[in-house]
Amino acid sequence: MRDAFVVAQFAQLCDCFDALLREALGIDARVAIAMATLTHEVQGRSFPTLTVDTWKVRADFNAVPQTVAFTPRLDFREPDQFGLIECALDFDYAPAHSRADRTARLLLARGIQLRGKSVAELVLPVAGGVRSLVAGDLEDAFAVWWLRP
């Protein structure tokens, strides 16, 4: 029963993440979102594979193009968690002490969790718990990654 929930909700939450990502980035000729399909081999579950979308977001704001990658995978380490969207940069990032930087650091260090039992959601781990991911979180992170002078 849990496995059927995980497979269905994984796909739904990846679609939700895609919508949040596109909302956060808007339309800009200097930003490109590339999606690719990845199939994970699965052990210890009733499904042998899990096919997910991955995202690479490339920006041409600076002298050298910069890419942020988001890669979903199964992850059951926290209560009610069944997945994680990992975040990685192909450029150096030196965080400051702003609220936006805290969000950017959390995305890089802990990713976005996929959680739920009967209803699933994307959550961002924060001090003392988690909170629902919103497009503004992604906007903040991309602003400090790409637009900070």
Side-chain angles (χ1 to χ4, degrees):
M1 185 74 152
R2 175 80 172 149
D3 282 359
F5 173 83
V6 167
V7 171
Q9 293 302 303
F10 214 101
Q12 183 178 355
L13 289 180
C14 283
D15 289 346
C16 180
F17 176 75
D18 184 68
L20 288 172
L21 183 63
R22 291 173 192 281
E23 179 183 340
L25 293 171
I27 298 173
D28 189 311
R30 299 168 295 177
V31 176
I33 301 172
M35 289 177 64
T37 302
L38 174 67
T39 301
H40 293 289
E41 298 289 325
V42 178
Q43 295 181 6
R45 309 304 297 188
S46 64
F47 50 96
T49 61
L50 180 68
T51 302
V52 298
D53 290 327
T54 64
W55 298 264
K56 287 193 178 187
V57 184
R58 180 182 160 165
D60 293 321
F61 294 117
N62 301 306
V64 175
Q66 297 175 315
T67 302
V68 180
F70 295 96
T71 307
R73 64 177 173 83
L74 290 171
D75 190 316
F76 296 93
R77 90 182 76 171
E78 298 291 332
D80 301 331
Q81 181 180 351
F82 56 88
L84 183 71
I85 300 175
E86 296 175 319
C87 177
L89 308 177
D90 74 347
F91 55 92
D92 291 331
Y93 163 62
H97 296 287
S98 70
R99 179 187 53 77
D101 281 288
R102 281 191 301 275
T103 300
R105 281 193 314 266
L106 282 171
L107 285 169
L108 291 169
R110 300 189 61 199
I112 301 160
Q113 293 181 0
L114 289 70
R115 280 193 178 189
K117 281 187 176 179
S118 59
V119 175
E121 65 178 324
L122 296 168
V123 296
L124 187 61
V126 294
V130 295
R131 65 175 171 78
S132 295
L133 180 74
V134 296
D137 295 324
L138 297 172
E139 287 175 28
D140 287 348
F142 281 107
V144 297
W145 289 331
W146 288 342
L147 303 178
R148 177 176 288 136

